[in-house]
Amino acid sequence: MLGDLPGDQELAEYSACLHGEREVNREVIDVIHMCNFNIDSIEALRTIVSFISQFDPDINDSSPEGNMRKAIRLIAKIPTIVATYYRIANGKEPVPPDPSLSHGANFLYMLRGKKAKSAGS
């Protein structure tokens, strides 16, 4: 229920939604390659987020449910965009998201290009 902390099942469903929406399409990566890397990164992020809106299947749905779906897609894609921007700006190939990783671990993986060692390793 909106406004309340999720239970275990709701959190698992939300996480699964995020995992399923992490990928960005090739056109987004092409736009990132065209970015001016001498501007503030937040300006590039704003431009890229505006660009990805044209691919959103709910672009014309302003219902509460449509806006929630759009928000989930943005929450899922922004770490991918940031990591891709960082890697391209530093002359590296983007690393696609790994659906087996948690959100934080996936972000670090996409930034560094290697999985973090677990605390027990």
Side-chain angles (χ1 to χ4, degrees), residues 31-32 34-48 85 89:
V31 166
I32 294 171
M34 291 186 280
C35 282
N36 174 356
F37 296 107
N38 294 317
I39 63 172
D40 282 338
S41 300
I42 198 70
E43 291 178 26
L45 178 62
R46 179 197 63 220
T47 298
I48 297 161
Y85 178 88

Side-chain angles (χ1 to χ4, degrees), residues 54-70:
Q54 68 181 319
F55 301 104
D56 196 295
D58 290 313
I59 192 169
N60 294 316
D61 184 353
S62 294
S63 69
E65 298 80 14
N67 286 336
M68 181 62 77
R69 289 188 300 271
K70 287 185 264 190

Side-chain angles (χ1 to χ4, degrees), residues 21-93:
E21 297 290 349
R22 289 178 176 166
E23 299 247 357
V24 295
N25 59 25
R26 183 74 226 170
E27 292 85 355
V28 173
I29 294 171
D30 290 344
V31 166
I32 294 171
H33 275 285
M34 291 186 280
C35 282
N36 174 356
F37 296 107
N38 294 317
I39 63 172
D40 282 338
S41 300
I42 198 70
E43 291 178 26
L45 178 62
R46 179 197 63 220
T47 298
I48 297 161
V49 166
S50 294
F51 178 74
I52 66 171
S53 70
Q54 68 181 319
F55 301 104
D56 196 295
D58 290 313
I59 192 169
N60 294 316
D61 184 353
S62 294
S63 69
E65 298 80 14
N67 286 336
M68 181 62 77
R69 289 188 300 271
K70 287 185 264 190
I72 287 170
R73 282 190 283 275
L74 273 176
I75 291 166
K77 288 179 186 334
I78 285 177
T80 304
I81 292 167
V82 169
T84 300
Y85 178 88
Y86 173 83
R87 289 189 61 85
I88 291 171
N90 287 284
K92 298 177 181 177
E93 284 297 312

